[in-house]
Amino acid sequence: VASRRGIVGGGLLAASTLALATAARASAAAERGTGDLGIVVERASGSVQIIETTGCTALGRITGLGDLSHASAVFSRDGRHAFVFGRDGGLSKLDLLRGIVAKRIVQAGNAIGGAISDDGRLVAVGNYEPGGVRVFDTESLAPVADIPATYGPGGTARSKVVGLADLPGRGFAFSLFEAGEIWIASVPPNGPPEVRRFQDVGRQPYDGFVTPDGRHYIAGLFGEDGLARLDLWRPELGIQRVLQGYGRGEEPLPVFKMPHLRGWAVAGGLAFLPAVGRHELLVVDRRDWTERGRVATHGQPVFAVARPDGRHVWVNFAHPRNDVVQVVDAESLAVVHAFTLGRGVMHLEFTPRGEQVWISVRDLNRVEVFDTRSLARIASLPVESPSGIFLTARAQRIGF
Amino acid sequence: VASRRGIVGGGLLAASTLALATAARASAAAERGTGDLGIVVERASGSVQIIETTGCTALGRITGLGDLSHASAVFSRDGRHAFVFGRDGGLSKLDLLRGIVAKRIVQAGNAIGGAISDDGRLVAVGNYEPGGVRVFDTESLAPVADIPATYGPGGTARSKVVGLADLPGRGFAFSLFEAGEIWIASVPPNGPPEVRRFQDVGRQPYDGFVTPDGRHYIAGLFGEDGLARLDLWRPELGIQRVLQGYGRGEEPLPVFKMPHLRGWAVAGGLAFLPAVGRHELLVVDRRDWTERGRVATHGQPVFAVARPDGRHVWVNFAHPRNDVVQVVDAESLAVVHAFTLGRGVMHLEFTPRGEQVWISVRDLNRVEVFDTRSLARIASLPVESPSGIFLTARAQRIGF
């Protein structure tokens, strides 16, 4: 905008200087829609690649983002900016149209993901150290609120925060690992955050998410079997425990990697959950959260993600069986296809209407793109140690 | 892009000329994200206004779009272009970043809405005259396929097409008014469309839509009570009739306006349907499509739209009670709020995460924007005889 205004105003020299500077920085085209953009995290090099899903190409790389192990991202409501949460507490605001870091702060010593408010004004980060949630203005990254995750006698201990998700009404839900609590907070435009605490939710909640319909917040428990569920329409009912014995069975197996809860698939009237430590998906009735069946899988599932039309659930697996992706039919519960892609299948992301899926294959240094109908590979992009893949369409969904 | 390349290449004069030409045409800023854009149809003047939901402002007007009564729109996968379907068969491709008509054709004599394929390559229009569906390339608007809605002895009669919606796999579903049929078609990248016909679905289907989970296509019937439902996962089961006697009750009342089916609200485990000719919403169990209750409303509902988190359903009404919007709690089924806004409340559209709702008030020549939590009005925009409001987030959803 600045450069265009400059030209129109007649300042040709200034304008061309600006344009040159911009062009030098810009690896993405400036004038284009943002609905088909996304980023792929290059974990080992602290960088991301900007990708687009119409031609299935990479538009450029942004470097200097710090420790991106377990990094995730959310997007501004206009789809232009990505907010990347690094493990080292870094919060980077990326301009996807110009291919640059618009702003970057290091807001904590150790962090684990974040969320953006429904009105797009607030970006919140869940921190391990110091334990709590910090909230920033999405425009400036200036601090807006600090919510220390205090607990214990006198409230002097600080708990790690996990499973941070956005709620309607400038709200956020998150879990306190050591404290065994779930908090929901809303951050009004003026005034301090309003926090509601739920105690004794179960031992060591290790991740949490909001169901796709926005109704429930669910936390997984590391310290015991089962899940903690909060009805966001009726929080006064408190925490309910569901799926006791969730996935572990009578003889627990060694757990190579705790499944990611954020990936849980909802398809038709069912939800598909990675069992903990077993080569199975649990099939759960969405209405009453009772188990309806199990699907035997290739390994310990990490992500189980529903194709957006709900017909198929795509699953990746923990080390050492992390070279395969399986496709499960949500009606017959049969595994209908399996791909062997290479070691280190880290993440998968569907385009919002489900016609493509993008899959990170870390040890091949490639992201593979498949047509989800024909199951044909339609693109293969060189990406350094790819992990998380995040598309701007997430900006349009609650809980992402 | 062209102007930026020109500058970088050193052609300053050419660049500035290009930039000036662009600026003269552009009422919207060129370099911005598109995820928060939308259009409002100005029905009487054959124009649309481009709006954005971050600052809640109008960015400009595009004129010359023909007869926009009952006009609707879909969006390109990148959110940059809107495809506007006019009643006169006009199909206009609008560039929202430049604020111009990128391309325009008149593809039939009388048309009623359209859809865009999941891969974004095809735009389909449902036509009254000549009855059928025509499919165009979204880039060029060149014709790709023509599907005449033939029926009757020898297949010589042509039926009006209504209720056109996209399906996964470059597919479309639509209903044939006079023929009483539902067709699903897919248009492969090479080769002719593959069409599957379902006959005797009921008399005079007048509108249809795909449920938000992408599972069912539902057609409303003008000629009889009840609805026709097709399970898109198992089309071999054929058409099932649901909700016999839907909404009319034992003594049908005069119907001032058939409700729009595309607006049906799904909230929690329930769907909320405008009853036909009665001052009621039907509350239906999504699982088995049985009636669970009714909500008494201010008038004959036209649109019943769920806030994206499903907690509230907002409803507008047919003439002569079309000055009011009511808000229904999806859990208690109580009317929790009513607004009197002025005559001719034509349409309402939520931002994708539900924090705002945009409402057209035709006779006030205004679009009103409300905060859906506080219910406070946060903006009021002058728009000439506003009717449909469509946000680019629709590009990211199946069946929109």
Side-chain angles (χ1 to χ4, degrees):
Chain A
V1 175
S3 66
R4 198 169 297 285
R5 277 201 198 122
I7 293 170
V8 173
L12 279 181
L13 183 64
S16 66
T17 307
L18 262 173
L20 279 167
T22 303
R25 282 177 302 172
S27 46
E31 189 188 60
R32 60 161 296 145
T34 50
D36 59 348
L37 297 181
I39 63 170
V40 182
V41 172
E42 296 185 310
R43 179 177 176 158
S45 50
S47 54
V48 305
Q49 286 204 36
I50 303 170
I51 52 96
E52 57 82 27
T53 68
T54 300
C56 296
T57 63
L59 299 175
R61 174 178 280 129
I62 302 178
T63 58
L65 305 180
D67 180 357
L68 295 187
S69 50
H70 214 286
S72 61
V74 297
F75 296 91
S76 61
R77 54 185 288 128
D78 65 357
R80 176 170 181 168
H81 293 103
F83 298 88
V84 178
F85 309 103
R87 192 54 178 266
D88 54 3
L91 170 59
S92 304
K93 178 180 178 177
L94 311 183
D95 182 337
L96 303 183
L97 287 179
R98 297 196 168 191
I100 58 170
V101 179
K103 292 190 190 298
R104 176 172 159 80
I105 60 174
V106 176
Q107 55 80 43
N110 192 338
I112 188 75
I116 190 165
S117 62
D118 58 354
D119 67 354
R121 312 289 179 190
L122 306 171
V123 58
V125 193
N127 289 322
Y128 280 7
E129 180 50 47
V133 170
R134 284 184 171 153
V135 183
F136 302 89
D137 179 89
T138 47
E139 187 60 34
S140 63
L141 298 190
V144 172
D146 188 8
I147 306 173
T150 53
Y151 74 106
T156 51
R158 295 281 284 261
S159 179
K160 292 190 192 75
V161 162
V162 297
L164 175 60
D166 62 274
L167 304 179
R170 293 168 63 103
F172 301 99
F174 50 95
S175 299
L176 281 65
F177 181 79
E178 293 88 351
E181 297 185 9
I182 291 172
W183 293 12
I184 54 179
S186 67
V187 182
N190 302 299
E194 294 150 8
V195 179
R196 190 160 177 171
R197 304 177 178 199
F198 299 88
Q199 297 184 304
D200 300 320
V201 307
R203 281 195 295 140
Q204 297 174 318
Y206 77 96
D207 195 4
F209 75 111
V210 173
T211 52
D213 61 6
R215 174 82 188 253
H216 294 102
Y217 179 77
I218 314 272
L221 301 173
F222 188 78
E224 56 188 288
D225 279 2
L227 303 162
R229 182 187 71 173
L230 179 62
D231 183 344
L232 298 166
W233 288 14
R234 305 186 67 181
E236 67 276 10
L237 297 180
I239 302 295
Q240 300 185 307
R241 298 292 287 281
V242 293
L243 291 175
Q244 302 282 355
Y246 142 64
R248 297 200 178 174
E250 294 179 6
E251 290 185 55
L253 302 176
V255 178
F256 293 106
K257 181 171 172 60
M258 290 299 279
H260 281 261
L261 299 187
R262 205 67 67 99
W264 278 5
V266 167
L270 304 173
F272 292 78
L273 288 61
V276 176
R278 303 191 83 82
H279 294 195
E280 286 175 345
L281 290 181
L282 273 70
V283 185
V284 174
D285 189 306
R286 287 173 68 188
R287 183 164 300 203
D288 56 12
W289 288 84
T290 57
E291 189 176 322
R292 289 271 295 274
R294 300 201 170 206
V295 179
T297 55
H298 170 78
Q300 296 183 6
V302 176
F303 285 103
V305 186
R307 197 172 69 181
D309 69 340
R311 184 59 198 267
H312 286 156
V313 176
W314 291 53
V315 191
N316 73 339
F317 303 100
H319 175 86
R321 311 203 73 172
N322 64 2
D323 57 339
V324 166
V325 167
Q326 285 185 318
V327 181
V328 177
D329 185 297
E331 187 165 56
S332 70
L333 305 187
V335 174
V336 293
H337 198 78
F339 299 87
T340 300
L341 295 175
R343 292 181 67 84
V345 173
M346 301 301 285
H347 195 218
L348 50 94
E349 174 100 338
F350 289 93
T351 48
R353 298 211 285 166
E355 79 285 1
Q356 297 173 11
V357 63
W358 289 58
I359 304 178
S360 291
V361 190
R362 184 192 57 207
D363 293 2
L364 291 188
N365 295 307
R366 300 205 77 87
V367 167
E368 311 284 17
V369 187
F370 291 91
D371 179 312
T372 62
R373 297 266 145 186
S374 68
L375 303 179
R377 186 166 64 183
I378 52 180
S380 177
L381 284 71
V383 181
E384 288 178 25
S385 296
S387 56
I389 304 173
F390 305 94
L391 300 182
T392 57
R394 288 174 174 247
Q396 318 295 354
R397 297 180 59 181
I398 295 168
F400 271 80
Chain B
V1 175
S3 67
R4 197 170 297 287
R5 278 200 197 123
I7 292 169
V8 174
L12 278 183
L13 184 63
S16 66
T17 307
L18 262 173
L20 279 168
T22 303
R25 282 178 303 173
S27 46
E31 188 187 64
R32 58 161 295 144
T34 51
D36 59 347
L37 298 182
I39 63 170
V40 182
V41 172
E42 296 184 310
R43 179 177 174 157
S45 51
S47 55
V48 304
Q49 286 205 36
I50 302 171
I51 51 96
E52 57 82 28
T53 67
T54 299
C56 296
T57 63
L59 299 174
R61 173 179 281 128
I62 302 178
T63 58
L65 306 180
D67 180 358
L68 295 187
S69 50
H70 214 285
S72 62
V74 298
F75 295 92
S76 61
R77 54 183 290 128
D78 64 357
R80 176 171 181 168
H81 294 103
F83 299 88
V84 178
F85 308 103
R87 192 55 178 267
D88 55 3
L91 170 59
S92 305
K93 178 179 178 178
L94 310 183
D95 182 337
L96 303 184
L97 286 179
R98 297 195 169 191
I100 59 170
V101 179
K103 291 190 191 297
R104 177 172 159 80
I105 61 174
V106 177
Q107 55 81 42
N110 192 339
I112 188 76
I116 191 165
S117 61
D118 58 353
D119 67 354
R121 311 291 179 190
L122 306 171
V123 59
V125 193
N127 289 322
Y128 280 7
E129 180 51 47
V133 170
R134 285 184 170 152
V135 183
F136 302 90
D137 179 271
T138 47
E139 187 61 33
S140 64
L141 297 191
V144 171
D146 189 8
I147 307 172
T150 53
Y151 74 106
T156 51
R158 295 280 284 263
S159 179
K160 292 191 193 75
V161 162
V162 297
L164 176 60
D166 62 274
L167 303 179
R170 291 168 66 102
F172 301 98
F174 49 95
S175 299
L176 282 65
F177 182 78
E178 293 88 352
E181 298 186 8
I182 290 173
W183 292 13
I184 54 178
S186 68
V187 182
N190 302 300
E194 295 151 8
V195 180
R196 190 160 177 171
R197 303 177 178 200
F198 300 87
Q199 297 183 306
D200 299 320
V201 307
R203 283 195 295 138
Q204 297 175 318
Y206 77 97
D207 195 5
F209 74 112
V210 173
T211 53
D213 61 5
R215 175 82 187 254
H216 293 102
Y217 178 76
I218 314 271
L221 301 172
F222 188 78
E224 57 188 289
D225 279 1
L227 302 162
R229 184 187 69 175
L230 179 62
D231 183 344
L232 297 165
W233 288 15
R234 304 186 66 182
E236 66 277 10
L237 297 180
I239 302 296
Q240 300 185 308
R241 298 290 288 279
V242 293
L243 291 175
Q244 301 283 355
Y246 139 65
R248 296 201 180 175
E250 294 179 4
E251 289 185 56
L253 302 177
V255 177
F256 294 106
K257 182 172 172 59
M258 291 297 281
H260 280 260
L261 299 186
R262 205 67 69 97
W264 279 3
V266 168
L270 304 173
F272 292 77
L273 287 62
V276 176
R278 303 191 81 81
H279 294 195
E280 287 175 345
L281 289 180
L282 273 70
V283 185
V284 175
D285 190 306
R286 286 172 67 188
R287 183 165 299 204
D288 56 13
W289 288 83
T290 57
E291 189 177 323
R292 289 270 295 274
R294 300 200 170 206
V295 179
T297 55
H298 169 78
Q300 296 183 6
V302 175
F303 285 103
V305 186
R307 197 172 69 182
D309 69 339
R311 184 58 198 267
H312 286 156
V313 177
W314 291 52
V315 191
N316 74 338
F317 303 99
H319 176 85
R321 313 203 71 172
N322 64 2
D323 57 339
V324 165
V325 167
Q326 287 186 316
V327 181
V328 177
D329 185 297
E331 187 165 55
S332 69
L333 306 187
V335 173
V336 293
H337 198 78
F339 299 88
T340 301
L341 295 175
R343 293 181 66 86
V345 173
M346 302 301 286
H347 195 216
L348 49 95
E349 174 100 339
F350 288 93
T351 48
R353 298 211 285 166
E355 80 284 3
Q356 296 172 13
V357 63
W358 290 58
I359 304 177
S360 291
V361 190
R362 186 193 56 206
D363 293 2
L364 289 188
N365 295 307
R366 299 206 79 86
V367 167
E368 311 284 15
V369 186
F370 291 91
D371 179 312
T372 62
R373 298 267 145 187
S374 68
L375 303 180
R377 185 165 65 182
I378 53 180
S380 177
L381 284 71
V383 182
E384 289 178 24
S385 296
S387 55
I389 305 173
F390 305 95
L391 300 182
T392 57
R394 288 173 173 248
Q396 319 295 352
R397 298 180 61 182
I398 295 168
F400 271 81

